[in-house]
Amino acid sequence: MRKLLSAIAAAALLVQPVIATARDKEPVKISGPSNAKGVATVAIGAFNVGFIFESIDQTQKTGGLMGAFGGTTKAKSELVGVTPAMMQSITDAAYADLVTQLEARGYAVQTPADLFAHDALARTKAREAPLDINITLEKGSKGKATFYKPSALPSQLMIPGDFTGSGMSSMGINMTGSQVGMALANYAKQTGIGVVDVVYLIDFSDQKRPGFFSFKGLEVNSGLSVAADYSRMTLIAPNGKQAVITVKAPVGVEGDFIERSDASTGTEKAVQSTANVAGGLAAAAGIGLPRFGKTRKFQFTAKPGNYEEGAAKAASLANELLTGRLGALR
């Protein structure tokens, strides 16, 4: 992990990082900004990095497979080749970077033991780490993610809003999250110390986008990003209220991280093609038949070493963005 941290630090010195933002769109959304005012000492109660392993994205578009008759385009993407050790090293590097950036902005960061040994957390139920969660993404899309905590934190905690669950499997985590949120708020009230909660969702399927950070000397074939809308920093202030800074535009890195391949079988492609041709002929004849879309399966294979460096750098850029906004609120 020390080598990974060194690589991140060196890259940050060589190139001014750039945050990817959509045109005319703020990179973050802030709620409860006044609650962060005057908070100078913080404890990190939770830091979770979620890695999406599978996503099913569905978009209604004109065109579909035939390009003329409409239909629903659906893509099922799967990430392979990322080991638990790789995810843990990324999470540990991102957490260490967060502590460094908070301290660089003038915050005093308490050691984890000061928080986790406090009576306010005595009855808090930690989840077994890492956490596998079925998540809801944008409308019509869903995925599966594994959330890791840093080795420096003794327990994996989540508060409401840290993820958007899909199905019944996440209900228990949400219920526990409410109890955790109350416990962290009680700690903040009793000690006068703010509590920071961070969650990042790493998206593996982003392609090259304008504004992404670029590693010099690396071939560009893919992008990794801290996903918009599902990544955020929450500060629980000593008054028990929250200031929440949500990422609203992907914070990403481009490089040679992943190889993509079309995993759709020949039979699947042939069936879709035949269905769309039939639908097109029927439409031309004035016969109303269901529209068939283009469905594809993609497999993304992570490149060891490059993948960790890219994901950790994306998290570091997100740390820079969020701590910068948090510091400005103080």
Side-chain angles (χ1 to χ4, degrees), residues 178-199:
S178 297
Q179 298 171 355
V180 169
M182 292 179 60
L184 294 178
N186 287 335
Y187 172 86
K189 292 176 181 178
Q190 293 172 25
T191 63
I193 296 172
V195 180
V196 171
D197 170 284
V198 175
V199 60

PDB file of all heavy atoms in Angstrom, residues 178-199:
ATOM      1  N   SER A 178     -29.916   3.508  10.586  1.00  0.00           N
ATOM      2  CA  SER A 178     -30.594   4.520  11.391  1.00  0.00           C
ATOM      3  C   SER A 178     -30.057   4.530  12.815  1.00  0.00           C
ATOM      4  O   SER A 178     -29.848   5.600  13.409  1.00  0.00           O
ATOM      5  CB  SER A 178     -32.105   4.257  11.399  1.00  0.00           C
ATOM      6  OG  SER A 178     -32.648   4.362  10.098  1.00  0.00           O
ATOM      7  N   GLN A 179     -29.815   3.354  13.379  1.00  0.00           N
ATOM      8  CA  GLN A 179     -29.252   3.258  14.728  1.00  0.00           C
ATOM      9  C   GLN A 179     -27.830   3.811  14.763  1.00  0.00           C
ATOM     10  O   GLN A 179     -27.438   4.499  15.709  1.00  0.00           O
ATOM     11  CB  GLN A 179     -29.280   1.802  15.189  1.00  0.00           C
ATOM     12  CG  GLN A 179     -30.683   1.220  15.283  1.00  0.00           C
ATOM     13  CD  GLN A 179     -30.681  -0.281  15.522  1.00  0.00           C
ATOM     14  OE1 GLN A 179     -29.624  -0.926  15.533  1.00  0.00           O
ATOM     15  NE2 GLN A 179     -31.865  -0.844  15.716  1.00  0.00           N
ATOM     16  N   VAL A 180     -27.064   3.511  13.713  1.00  0.00           N
ATOM     17  CA  VAL A 180     -25.690   4.017  13.636  1.00  0.00           C
ATOM     18  C   VAL A 180     -25.692   5.540  13.560  1.00  0.00           C
ATOM     19  O   VAL A 180     -24.909   6.217  14.232  1.00  0.00           O
ATOM     20  CB  VAL A 180     -24.968   3.426  12.405  1.00  0.00           C
ATOM     21  CG1 VAL A 180     -23.638   4.144  12.166  1.00  0.00           C
ATOM     22  CG2 VAL A 180     -24.732   1.936  12.587  1.00  0.00           C
ATOM     23  N   GLY A 181     -26.578   6.090  12.732  1.00  0.00           N
ATOM     24  CA  GLY A 181     -26.661   7.537  12.610  1.00  0.00           C
ATOM     25  C   GLY A 181     -26.962   8.211  13.940  1.00  0.00           C
ATOM     26  O   GLY A 181     -26.369   9.251  14.272  1.00  0.00           O
ATOM     27  N   MET A 182     -27.862   7.626  14.728  1.00  0.00           N
ATOM     28  CA  MET A 182     -28.190   8.182  16.037  1.00  0.00           C
ATOM     29  C   MET A 182     -26.999   8.092  16.982  1.00  0.00           C
ATOM     30  O   MET A 182     -26.713   9.036  17.735  1.00  0.00           O
ATOM     31  CB  MET A 182     -29.392   7.439  16.620  1.00  0.00           C
ATOM     32  CG  MET A 182     -30.708   7.683  15.889  1.00  0.00           C
ATOM     33  SD  MET A 182     -32.096   6.746  16.596  1.00  0.00           S
ATOM     34  CE  MET A 182     -32.119   7.401  18.265  1.00  0.00           C
ATOM     35  N   ALA A 183     -26.284   6.975  16.927  1.00  0.00           N
ATOM     36  CA  ALA A 183     -25.122   6.797  17.806  1.00  0.00           C
ATOM     37  C   ALA A 183     -24.022   7.801  17.478  1.00  0.00           C
ATOM     38  O   ALA A 183     -23.408   8.390  18.386  1.00  0.00           O
ATOM     39  CB  ALA A 183     -24.591   5.369  17.678  1.00  0.00           C
ATOM     40  N   LEU A 184     -23.769   8.012  16.190  1.00  0.00           N
ATOM     41  CA  LEU A 184     -22.726   8.968  15.795  1.00  0.00           C
ATOM     42  C   LEU A 184     -23.144  10.391  16.158  1.00  0.00           C
ATOM     43  O   LEU A 184     -22.302  11.209  16.554  1.00  0.00           O
ATOM     44  CB  LEU A 184     -22.455   8.849  14.299  1.00  0.00           C
ATOM     45  CG  LEU A 184     -21.836   7.521  13.834  1.00  0.00           C
ATOM     46  CD1 LEU A 184     -21.652   7.519  12.315  1.00  0.00           C
ATOM     47  CD2 LEU A 184     -20.500   7.262  14.526  1.00  0.00           C
ATOM     48  N   ALA A 185     -24.439  10.699  16.036  1.00  0.00           N
ATOM     49  CA  ALA A 185     -24.930  12.021  16.424  1.00  0.00           C
ATOM     50  C   ALA A 185     -24.776  12.237  17.926  1.00  0.00           C
ATOM     51  O   ALA A 185     -24.406  13.332  18.378  1.00  0.00           O
ATOM     52  CB  ALA A 185     -26.388  12.184  16.004  1.00  0.00           C
ATOM     53  N   ASN A 186     -25.042  11.191  18.707  1.00  0.00           N
ATOM     54  CA  ASN A 186     -24.873  11.290  20.162  1.00  0.00           C
ATOM     55  C   ASN A 186     -23.411  11.518  20.518  1.00  0.00           C
ATOM     56  O   ASN A 186     -23.100  12.303  21.432  1.00  0.00           O
ATOM     57  CB  ASN A 186     -25.393  10.027  20.843  1.00  0.00           C
ATOM     58  CG  ASN A 186     -26.905   9.940  20.832  1.00  0.00           C
ATOM     59  OD1 ASN A 186     -27.597  10.964  20.750  1.00  0.00           O
ATOM     60  ND2 ASN A 186     -27.440   8.734  20.913  1.00  0.00           N
ATOM     61  N   TYR A 187     -22.517  10.833  19.807  1.00  0.00           N
ATOM     62  CA  TYR A 187     -21.076  11.046  20.055  1.00  0.00           C
ATOM     63  C   TYR A 187     -20.712  12.501  19.776  1.00  0.00           C
ATOM     64  O   TYR A 187     -19.998  13.138  20.570  1.00  0.00           O
ATOM     65  CB  TYR A 187     -20.251  10.115  19.168  1.00  0.00           C
ATOM     66  CG  TYR A 187     -18.769  10.407  19.214  1.00  0.00           C
ATOM     67  CD1 TYR A 187     -17.968   9.854  20.207  1.00  0.00           C
ATOM     68  CD2 TYR A 187     -18.171  11.233  18.258  1.00  0.00           C
ATOM     69  CE1 TYR A 187     -16.597  10.127  20.260  1.00  0.00           C
ATOM     70  CE2 TYR A 187     -16.812  11.516  18.306  1.00  0.00           C
ATOM     71  CZ  TYR A 187     -16.030  10.954  19.305  1.00  0.00           C
ATOM     72  OH  TYR A 187     -14.684  11.236  19.362  1.00  0.00           O
ATOM     73  N   ALA A 188     -21.183  13.031  18.658  1.00  0.00           N
ATOM     74  CA  ALA A 188     -20.868  14.411  18.297  1.00  0.00           C
ATOM     75  C   ALA A 188     -21.395  15.390  19.348  1.00  0.00           C
ATOM     76  O   ALA A 188     -20.702  16.344  19.735  1.00  0.00           O
ATOM     77  CB  ALA A 188     -21.444  14.731  16.921  1.00  0.00           C
ATOM     78  N   LYS A 189     -22.604  15.158  19.833  1.00  0.00           N
ATOM     79  CA  LYS A 189     -23.195  16.039  20.833  1.00  0.00           C
ATOM     80  C   LYS A 189     -22.438  15.975  22.157  1.00  0.00           C
ATOM     81  O   LYS A 189     -22.207  16.995  22.814  1.00  0.00           O
ATOM     82  CB  LYS A 189     -24.661  15.666  21.066  1.00  0.00           C
ATOM     83  CG  LYS A 189     -25.592  15.946  19.889  1.00  0.00           C
ATOM     84  CD  LYS A 189     -26.998  15.440  20.204  1.00  0.00           C
ATOM     85  CE  LYS A 189     -27.949  15.665  19.046  1.00  0.00           C
ATOM     86  NZ  LYS A 189     -29.311  15.109  19.347  1.00  0.00           N
ATOM     87  N   GLN A 190     -22.065  14.756  22.559  1.00  0.00           N
ATOM     88  CA  GLN A 190     -21.427  14.574  23.861  1.00  0.00           C
ATOM     89  C   GLN A 190     -19.984  15.059  23.894  1.00  0.00           C
ATOM     90  O   GLN A 190     -19.481  15.477  24.938  1.00  0.00           O
ATOM     91  CB  GLN A 190     -21.485  13.102  24.260  1.00  0.00           C
ATOM     92  CG  GLN A 190     -22.894  12.589  24.529  1.00  0.00           C
ATOM     93  CD  GLN A 190     -22.942  11.080  24.732  1.00  0.00           C
ATOM     94  OE1 GLN A 190     -21.953  10.459  25.120  1.00  0.00           O
ATOM     95  NE2 GLN A 190     -24.103  10.476  24.467  1.00  0.00           N
ATOM     96  N   THR A 191     -19.305  15.016  22.758  1.00  0.00           N
ATOM     97  CA  THR A 191     -17.884  15.358  22.732  1.00  0.00           C
ATOM     98  C   THR A 191     -17.589  16.716  22.090  1.00  0.00           C
ATOM     99  O   THR A 191     -16.490  17.248  22.269  1.00  0.00           O
ATOM    100  CB  THR A 191     -17.089  14.288  21.963  1.00  0.00           C
ATOM    101  OG1 THR A 191     -17.535  14.260  20.586  1.00  0.00           O
ATOM    102  CG2 THR A 191     -17.274  12.910  22.580  1.00  0.00           C
ATOM    103  N   GLY A 192     -18.547  17.241  21.325  1.00  0.00           N
ATOM    104  CA  GLY A 192     -18.287  18.472  20.591  1.00  0.00           C
ATOM    105  C   GLY A 192     -17.409  18.263  19.372  1.00  0.00           C
ATOM    106  O   GLY A 192     -16.865  19.222  18.813  1.00  0.00           O
ATOM    107  N   ILE A 193     -17.271  17.018  18.936  1.00  0.00           N
ATOM    108  CA  ILE A 193     -16.425  16.666  17.789  1.00  0.00           C
ATOM    109  C   ILE A 193     -17.315  16.246  16.620  1.00  0.00           C
ATOM    110  O   ILE A 193     -18.229  15.434  16.790  1.00  0.00           O
ATOM    111  CB  ILE A 193     -15.464  15.517  18.149  1.00  0.00           C
ATOM    112  CG1 ILE A 193     -14.483  15.979  19.239  1.00  0.00           C
ATOM    113  CG2 ILE A 193     -14.703  15.022  16.918  1.00  0.00           C
ATOM    114  CD1 ILE A 193     -13.625  14.852  19.797  1.00  0.00           C
ATOM    115  N   GLY A 194     -17.053  16.782  15.450  1.00  0.00           N
ATOM    116  CA  GLY A 194     -17.812  16.389  14.274  1.00  0.00           C
ATOM    117  C   GLY A 194     -17.436  14.991  13.805  1.00  0.00           C
ATOM    118  O   GLY A 194     -16.300  14.547  14.004  1.00  0.00           O
ATOM    119  N   VAL A 195     -18.389  14.305  13.210  1.00  0.00           N
ATOM    120  CA  VAL A 195     -18.150  12.952  12.700  1.00  0.00           C
ATOM    121  C   VAL A 195     -18.302  12.955  11.179  1.00  0.00           C
ATOM    122  O   VAL A 195     -19.322  13.421  10.652  1.00  0.00           O
ATOM    123  CB  VAL A 195     -19.119  11.923  13.317  1.00  0.00           C
ATOM    124  CG1 VAL A 195     -18.841  10.531  12.756  1.00  0.00           C
ATOM    125  CG2 VAL A 195     -18.986  11.913  14.832  1.00  0.00           C
ATOM    126  N   VAL A 196     -17.292  12.436  10.502  1.00  0.00           N
ATOM    127  CA  VAL A 196     -17.287  12.383   9.042  1.00  0.00           C
ATOM    128  C   VAL A 196     -17.658  10.981   8.575  1.00  0.00           C
ATOM    129  O   VAL A 196     -17.122   9.983   9.079  1.00  0.00           O
ATOM    130  CB  VAL A 196     -15.907  12.780   8.480  1.00  0.00           C
ATOM    131  CG1 VAL A 196     -15.834  12.524   6.971  1.00  0.00           C
ATOM    132  CG2 VAL A 196     -15.620  14.243   8.784  1.00  0.00           C
ATOM    133  N   ASP A 197     -18.562  10.917   7.629  1.00  0.00           N
ATOM    134  CA  ASP A 197     -18.967   9.650   6.995  1.00  0.00           C
ATOM    135  C   ASP A 197     -18.782   9.832   5.491  1.00  0.00           C
ATOM    136  O   ASP A 197     -19.306  10.788   4.905  1.00  0.00           O
ATOM    137  CB  ASP A 197     -20.429   9.345   7.327  1.00  0.00           C
ATOM    138  CG  ASP A 197     -20.997   8.185   6.509  1.00  0.00           C
ATOM    139  OD1 ASP A 197     -21.294   8.389   5.309  1.00  0.00           O
ATOM    140  OD2 ASP A 197     -21.153   7.088   7.062  1.00  0.00           O
ATOM    141  N   VAL A 198     -18.039   8.914   4.859  1.00  0.00           N
ATOM    142  CA  VAL A 198     -17.771   9.016   3.421  1.00  0.00           C
ATOM    143  C   VAL A 198     -18.138   7.705   2.747  1.00  0.00           C
ATOM    144  O   VAL A 198     -17.846   6.620   3.271  1.00  0.00           O
ATOM    145  CB  VAL A 198     -16.279   9.331   3.147  1.00  0.00           C
ATOM    146  CG1 VAL A 198     -15.992   9.306   1.645  1.00  0.00           C
ATOM    147  CG2 VAL A 198     -15.909  10.691   3.732  1.00  0.00           C
ATOM    148  N   VAL A 199     -18.780   7.799   1.589  1.00  0.00           N
ATOM    149  CA  VAL A 199     -19.026   6.616   0.768  1.00  0.00           C
ATOM    150  C   VAL A 199     -18.723   6.958  -0.678  1.00  0.00           C
ATOM    151  O   VAL A 199     -19.139   8.000  -1.186  1.00  0.00           O
ATOM    152  CB  VAL A 199     -20.482   6.105   0.928  1.00  0.00           C
ATOM    153  CG1 VAL A 199     -21.496   7.151   0.519  1.00  0.00           C
ATOM    154  CG2 VAL A 199     -20.682   4.808   0.160  1.00  0.00           C
TER     155      VAL A 199
END
